């Protein structure tokens, strides 16, 4: 009796193209917003640069840069262009790297949140609420205090490593608890408490540290994209790209995992390896962000949720790239606001992301509570 | 050798086995059902069979191969599951939920080919769920969810399907529908089905083999006809306050205690509502005179003390001895309920019983309603 249906329902995938349409529209919309944000970000500030000038400068720089890559290229014209005027110096050495860094890290943070939510099978999970960002801050703080005595400059690699170590450390603690605690709300409370403990230890070491040791830490822990330069942009972009590709490669088991661990195992998903991969990738991404921009709250929870609502699906293959793009747009605009709204005073990026992200999270909690699915 | 077989299997969550020496076997096209009280370990056995839990000893073979040595993918192509816990996939359509069953067949990118899509659709069609295809899974009713999850399991094109309490959360209509479907799948696709059920009456009707799980080992195993005899159900579930009638599949609550104050003159099923009303009010009663093959005999036996039930051999007029015994019970009663059973030549004695009560000025109530509304306040103080 099953065979008859094949003729009566000719289009097996009636609804798939519709979802794909939605996906491409969302992606196009986000890309346009990203471009708009880049132009706006470059444009705005104490020295305003006209949009036309922005395009011509970027166009020229791109052309020269590509020529540079070709054999026999000459780096001279590019250097000249970059230093040719105040505008181009501001554009190329301050604003552009900062904008791109905020976009890349925003995307990475969102994908990191998405992976954590997949891991815990709960959309409220995120690197910040589980105390992972605070753990990273703790280890970065201790590293800064101890090493600043021996090294004149703390390189981004060291920051990155210590932030990664801190993330993994707290992740391990939270995982240990999650073995014993089945309820997600209890786990979240534990995560928040662990975060407070980390902050307490950080504050404690700051109290006894001398001024010059912690000057870095204070500005770092405020959370900001202001330290951006081309070097750490390319470094973090490389890591985030690797993490992003890794996440995309996991999309197939992620789809199966959406039905829960037991169904996934019955489908042949190697659960342990898969969960380890999720955690490592997520830690790598959030550590990278925390190392370069300090702890940034709520992006990891809010953006994946916004993305899923936009796409009206949770298919990982579509959600992962859209989340990255959406996170990039979100952080780019948040940074723009942080930088310009009370100029010349700059807000911490976390202040702005919380202001926009926390209401989204509250809304989600309420919606889920009404469906009796939290915990 | 049977398709799925266990030899001296031990299962449990920790090192200490919960159940030992499990020897089961299922052929393709057959249904094996585990029955037994809550917490007996039915789910533990099923989880071990599906490799969700490590076995603690013994061997499970699937098509002659050691189940615990199969690579995950080839196990997933042969065995699929329907689990008892609720799942909450967000923003997934039923089609997408069902399509996860194609996981063991798709490549690295998980792309569904046209034939994969046909299989998904075919599975949905089989469970009469095509119209659900584009609905969000979390908007479905329990009955619909279970059908979609069954389609998902089907989509894996298994030879063995393992279901843990598939009828939990379902109302009776969906229970029947689901079990019909399982029987059909076993018959038409040659799938071996292993499941656990709480409803013994349904288990008896759908299964080829029943397995009673209780205590440290499998208590009994066999066809429903072999297993469900006498008071097997009462013993398996330790029913002491109440009873379970295997033939009718009906449940009776605890019989009222104390001295019988009411005599019910019944027969042909007319007495059943009277017995149940009296049970609800906790009034002990006697009943008679019933032919031994009367359809209400099992209910009467479940709700009265043996000495208070007067039975007479079937297919012949009621004997004088039975009448004498009933008459003595009637004279000791404080009320008589005439259930309204038609009187024929074989049960004419029952009419004499009613006449006797009238002569002795014992109140006679026509049916249980009259007793409840007028007689109850006189009897129960």
């Amino acid at each position: 009796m099953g065979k008859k249906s094949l003729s009566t329902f000719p289009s097996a995938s009636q609804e798939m193209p519709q979802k794909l349409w939605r996906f491409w529209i969302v992606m196009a919309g986000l890309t346009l917003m990203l471009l708009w944000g880049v132009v706006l970000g470059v444009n705005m500030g104490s020295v305003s640069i006209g949009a036309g000038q922005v395009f011509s400068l970027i166009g020229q720089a791109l052309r020269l840069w590509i020529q540079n890559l070709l054999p026999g290229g000459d780096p001279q014209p590019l250097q000249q262009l970059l230093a040719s005027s105040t505008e181009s110096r501001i554009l190329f050495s301050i604003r552009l790297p900062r904008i791109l860094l905020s976009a890349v890290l925003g995307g990475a943070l969102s994908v990191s949140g998405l992976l954590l939510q997949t891991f815990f099978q709960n959309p409220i999970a995120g690197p910040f609420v589980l105390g992972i960002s605070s753990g990273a801050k703790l280890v970065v703080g201790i590293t800064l205090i101890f090493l600043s005595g021996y090294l004149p400059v703390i390189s981004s690699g060291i920051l990155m490593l210590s932030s990664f170590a801190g993330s993994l450390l707290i992740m391990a603690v939270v995982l240990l608890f999650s073995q014993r605690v089945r309820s997600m709300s209890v786990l979240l409370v534990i995560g928040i408490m662990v975060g407070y403990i980390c902050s307490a230890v950080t504050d404690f070491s700051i109290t006894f540290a001398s001024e010059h040791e912690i000057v870095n830490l204070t500005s770092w822990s405020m959370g900001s994209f202001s330290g951006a330069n081309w070097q750490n942009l390319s470094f973090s972009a490389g890591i985030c790209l690797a993490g992003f590709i890794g996440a995309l490669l996991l999309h197939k088991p992620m789809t199966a995992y959406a039905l829960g661990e037991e169904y996934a195992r019955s489908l042949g998903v190697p659960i342990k390896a898969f969960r380890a991969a999720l955690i490592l990738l997520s830690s790598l991404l959030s550590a990278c962000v925390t190392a370069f921009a300090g702890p940034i709250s709520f992006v990891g929870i809010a953006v994946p949720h916004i993305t899923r609502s936009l796409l009206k699906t949770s298919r990982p293959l579509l959600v992962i790239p859209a989340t990255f793009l959406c996170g990039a747009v979100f952080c780019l605009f948040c940074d723009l606001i942080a930088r310009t709204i009370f100029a010349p005073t700059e807000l911490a990026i976390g202040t702005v992301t919380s202001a926009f992200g926390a209401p989204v999270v509250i809304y989600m909690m309420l919606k889920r509570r009404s469906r009796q699915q939290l915990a | 050798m049977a398709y799925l077989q266990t030899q001296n299997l031990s299962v449990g969550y920790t090192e200490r086995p919960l159940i030992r020496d499990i020897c089961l076997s299922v052929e393709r096209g057959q249904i094996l059902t585990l029955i037994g009280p809550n917490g007996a370990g039915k789910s533990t056995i099923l989880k071990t069979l599906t490799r969700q839990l490590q076995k603690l000893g013994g061997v499970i073979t699937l098509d002659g191969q050691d189940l615990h040595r199969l690579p995950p993918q080839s196990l997933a192509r042969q065995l699929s599951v329907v689990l008892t816990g609720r799942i909450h996939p967000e923003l997934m359509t039923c089609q997408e939920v069902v399509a996860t069953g194609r996981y063991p067949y798709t490549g690295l990118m998980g792309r569904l080919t046209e034939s994969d899509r046909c299989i998904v659709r075919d599975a949905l069609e089989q469970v009469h769920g095509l119209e659900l295809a584009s609905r969000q899974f979390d908007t479905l009713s329990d009955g619909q969810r279970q059908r979609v999850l069954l389609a998902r399991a089907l989509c894996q094109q298994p030879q063995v399907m393992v279901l843990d309490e598939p009828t939990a959360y379902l109302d009776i209509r969906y229970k029947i529908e689901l079990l019909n479907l399982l029987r059909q799948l076993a018959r038409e696709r040659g799938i071996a089905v292993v499941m656990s059920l709480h409803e013994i009456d349904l288990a008896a009707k759908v299964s080829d083999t029943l397995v009673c799980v209780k205590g440290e080992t499998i208590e009994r195993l066999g066809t429903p006809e072999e297993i469900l005899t006498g008071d097997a159900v009462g013993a398996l579930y330790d029913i002491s306050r109440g009873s379970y009638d295997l033939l009718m599949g009906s449940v009776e609550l605890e019989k009222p205690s104390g001295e019988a104050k009411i005599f019910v003159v019944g027969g042909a099923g007319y007495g059943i509502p009277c017995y149940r009303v009296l049970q609800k009010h906790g009034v002990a009663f006697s009943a008679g005179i019933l032919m031994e093959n009367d359809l209400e005999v099992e209910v009467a036996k479940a709700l009265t003390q043996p000495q208070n039930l007067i039975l007479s051999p079937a297919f012949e007029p009621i004997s004088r001895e039975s009448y004498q015994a009933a008459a003595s019970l009637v004279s000791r009663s404080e009320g008589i309920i005439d259930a309204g059973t038609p009187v024929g030549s074989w049960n004419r004695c029952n009419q004499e019983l009613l006449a006797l009560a009238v002569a002795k000025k014992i109140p006679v109530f026509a049916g249980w309603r009259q007793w409840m509304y007028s007689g109850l306040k006189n009897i129960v103080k």
Side-chain angles (χ1 to χ4, degrees):
Chain A
M1 63 173 286
K3 298 289 171 283
K4 241 183 301 170
S5 68
L6 304 188
S7 52
T8 39
F9 286 82
S11 161
S13 45
Q14 294 150 325
E15 145 217 57
M16 295 292 180
Q18 196 190 338
K19 282 223 171 116
L20 280 181
W21 259 110
R22 196 171 245 287
F23 172 73
W24 289 117
I25 290 171
V26 168
M27 289 300 270
L30 287 173
T31 311
L32 284 178
M33 280 185 75
L34 189 71
L35 289 177
W36 184 51
V38 169
V39 173
L40 213 58
V42 169
N43 195 331
M44 283 163 72
S46 50
V47 176
S48 89
I49 306 171
Q53 206 181 354
V54 170
F55 280 122
S56 84
L57 278 173
I58 293 179
Q60 282 179 47
L62 267 181
R63 189 168 51 80
L64 290 174
W65 182 67
I66 290 166
Q67 277 178 4
N68 219 350
L69 292 181
L70 299 173
D74 180 11
Q76 279 303 317
L78 183 61
Q79 297 303 328
Q80 277 168 14
L81 175 75
L82 296 189
S84 62
S85 62
T86 323
E87 279 88 355
S88 78
R89 266 194 307 257
I90 292 176
L91 177 64
F92 288 111
S93 60
I94 300 173
R95 290 191 190 163
L96 207 51
R98 176 171 180 161
I99 286 162
L100 294 179
L101 188 72
S102 69
V104 167
L105 296 188
L109 196 53
S110 309
V111 171
S112 161
L114 180 70
L115 296 177
L116 268 189
Q117 286 150 27
T118 309
F119 183 91
F120 286 107
Q121 295 176 311
N122 189 303
I124 312 288
F128 193 78
V129 289
L130 288 172
I132 291 158
S133 303
S134 313
K137 181 185 167 186
L138 170 68
V139 178
V140 169
I142 289 174
T143 314
L144 283 176
I145 291 170
F146 277 96
L147 283 187
S148 61
Y150 305 100
L151 295 173
V153 183
I154 309 279
S155 76
S156 52
I158 292 175
L159 272 183
M160 175 81 200
L161 273 181
S162 49
S163 165
F164 188 58
S167 302
L168 276 185
L169 184 76
I170 297 305
M171 190 72 88
V173 172
V174 173
L175 283 182
L176 270 182
F177 279 116
S178 74
Q179 302 277 312
R180 306 178 130 254
V181 185
R182 280 278 146 225
S183 153
M184 189 63 204
S185 22
V186 176
L187 195 62
L188 286 181
V189 173
I190 291 175
I192 292 166
M193 292 307 133
V194 170
Y196 274 113
I197 294 171
C198 290
S199 305
V201 176
T202 314
D203 291 345
F204 177 80
S205 17
I206 288 173
T207 314
F208 292 101
S210 58
E211 197 64 37
H212 74 277
E213 285 170 339
I214 55 161
V215 62
N216 281 331
L217 181 64
T218 322
S219 65
W220 176 85
S221 68
M222 288 276 289
S224 165
F225 293 114
S226 59
N229 57 42
W230 288 105
Q231 192 205 344
N232 54 25
L233 172 66
S234 50
F235 185 68
S236 58
I239 294 196
C240 294
L241 186 70
F244 176 70
I245 290 173
L248 269 185
L249 288 177
L250 286 182
H251 90 270
K252 188 186 163 190
M254 276 168 82
T255 314
Y257 203 71
L259 299 187
E261 189 180 322
E262 289 180 318
Y263 276 113
R265 189 182 289 122
S266 84
L267 287 166
V269 177
I271 296 290
K272 274 188 183 155
F274 170 67
R275 284 170 66 104
L278 278 181
I279 279 294
L280 282 175
L281 275 180
S282 175
S283 303
L284 178 73
L285 288 171
S286 74
C288 176
V289 177
T290 315
F292 288 108
I296 300 177
S297 40
F298 293 109
V299 176
I301 311 180
V303 172
H305 175 71
I306 296 170
T307 313
R308 277 190 293 258
S309 320
L310 285 176
L311 294 179
K312 294 220 188 307
T313 179
S314 55
R315 271 178 75 191
L317 183 60
L318 306 183
V319 172
I320 295 169
T323 297
F324 191 91
L325 202 53
C326 188
V329 171
F330 185 85
C331 278
L332 200 157
F333 277 94
C334 282
D335 184 47
L336 195 61
I337 292 169
R339 188 158 69 82
T340 55
I341 192 164
F342 293 117
T345 308
E346 203 172 289
L347 295 177
I349 180 72
T351 315
V352 184
T353 55
S354 306
F356 288 103
V360 175
V361 176
I362 293 173
Y363 169 75
M364 274 167 71
M365 302 268 288
L366 288 176
K367 213 175 102 191
R368 288 179 66 77
R369 183 58 84 186
S370 66
R371 288 193 321 199
Q372 297 287 311
Q373 286 185 5
L374 193 81
Chain B
M1 196 182 219
Y3 196 79
L4 177 69
Q5 196 161 19
T6 71
Q7 284 158 1
N8 299 321
L9 179 70
S10 301
V11 302
Y13 281 91
T14 49
E15 286 298 306
R16 226 185 74 232
L18 187 66
I19 306 171
R20 288 175 292 104
D21 305 329
I22 305 165
C23 298
L24 307 175
S25 62
V26 202
E27 298 289 352
R28 294 189 59 180
Q30 283 197 339
I31 296 185
L32 176 141
T33 305
L34 307 181
I35 57 174
N38 281 334
K42 302 189 292 291
S43 294
T44 316
I45 296 178
L46 294 182
K47 279 184 179 156
T48 311
L49 285 180
T50 55
R51 229 162 70 173
Q52 300 281 348
L53 276 181
Q54 283 301 313
K55 63 179 179 185
L56 300 181
V59 186
I60 308 173
T61 54
L62 184 65
D63 201 11
Q65 290 172 294
D66 186 347
L67 180 108
H68 279 80
R69 292 203 179 153
L70 282 175
Q73 193 193 34
S74 76
L75 179 65
R77 287 181 179 192
Q78 293 180 68
L79 184 147
S80 68
V81 298
V82 175
L83 301 164
T84 183
R86 289 175 191 239
I87 57 167
H88 303 288
E90 270 194 293
L91 293 171
M92 271 178 100
T93 62
C94 294
Q95 195 169 1
E96 288 171 334
V97 169
V98 175
T100 59
R102 299 306 295 161
Y103 182 94
Y105 298 91
T106 55
L108 179 68
M109 292 311 282
R111 262 189 74 85
L112 296 176
T113 62
E114 195 51 43
S115 83
D116 286 323
R117 294 211 169 106
C118 281
I119 291 163
V120 169
R121 200 155 10 96
D122 193 27
L124 269 169
E125 155 103 60
Q126 183 88 59
V127 303
H128 313 294
L130 261 186
E131 75 283 358
L132 302 175
S134 49
R135 288 266 304 275
Q136 294 287 327
F137 184 80
D138 51 9
T139 64
L140 300 187
S141 72
D142 286 328
Q144 292 168 327
R145 278 167 186 241
Q146 209 64 340
R147 266 151 60 202
V148 170
L149 288 176
L150 190 63
R152 193 210 66 82
L154 210 51
C155 196
Q156 249 169 287
Q157 297 180 312
Q159 272 85 57
V160 181
M161 213 187 256
V162 176
L163 306 95
D164 194 0
E165 283 171 29
T167 55
Y169 314 124
L170 298 189
D171 68 24
I172 185 69
R173 178 193 144 192
Y174 286 126
K175 280 182 200 203
I176 296 172
E177 209 167 86
L178 185 90
L179 295 181
N180 273 333
L181 210 55
L182 286 178
R183 208 57 254 192
Q184 190 189 344
L185 291 177
R187 192 170 56 233
E188 289 177 3
R189 306 205 171 188
I191 295 174
V193 177
V194 180
M195 63 178 163
S196 60
L197 280 182
H198 269 307
E199 300 85 352
I200 318 124
D201 48 332
L202 295 178
K205 284 151 203 167
V206 75
S207 320
D208 298 294
T209 312
L210 282 185
V211 179
C212 302
V213 183
K214 190 190 180 188
E216 287 205 334
T217 179
I218 294 289
E219 201 179 54
R220 297 174 70 196
L221 180 152
T223 64
E225 294 74 27
E226 289 163 4
I227 297 290
L228 299 177
T229 52
D231 194 30
V233 175
L236 178 62
Y237 287 90
D238 290 324
I239 303 174
S240 53
R241 300 157 66 91
S243 68
Y244 184 87
D245 176 16
L246 277 173
L247 184 65
M248 299 294 181
S250 74
V251 174
E252 298 301 337
L253 302 183
E254 195 177 8
K255 63 177 72 168
S257 58
E259 202 184 330
K261 294 174 176 175
I262 299 286
F263 189 95
V264 180
V265 179
Y270 287 76
I272 294 176
C274 305
Y275 305 149
R276 291 195 178 144
V277 160
L278 289 162
Q279 191 279 335
K280 280 176 209 163
H281 289 94
V283 177
F285 60 93
S286 42
I289 303 167
L290 303 178
M291 303 280 174
E292 277 168 352
N293 67 340
D294 198 291
L295 70 91
E296 64 185 63
V297 165
E298 291 304 319
V299 181
K301 274 184 182 167
L303 295 178
T304 59
Q305 305 298 336
Q307 73 273 15
N308 290 340
L309 180 62
I310 309 298
L311 296 178
S312 169
F315 307 119
E316 53 186 80
I318 292 169
S319 62
R320 283 326 284 176
E321 296 80 55
S322 302
Y323 175 75
Q324 292 304 339
S328 86
L329 283 176
V330 164
S331 1
R332 277 185 277 140
S333 299
E334 294 170 20
I336 309 291
I337 299 179
D338 174 12
T341 310
V343 177
S345 56
W346 285 357
N347 67 346
R348 191 149 291 144
C349 282
N350 281 347
Q351 210 155 29
E352 291 176 34
L353 284 179
L354 293 173
L356 176 72
V358 172
K360 296 204 167 199
K361 299 210 163 30
I362 300 170
V364 175
F365 305 100
W368 60 270
R369 276 194 190 82
Q370 207 185 48
W371 171 77
M372 217 168 86
Y373 295 127
S374 64
L376 185 59
K377 51 183 172 293
N378 302 328
I379 305 282
V380 186
K381 280 279 161 13

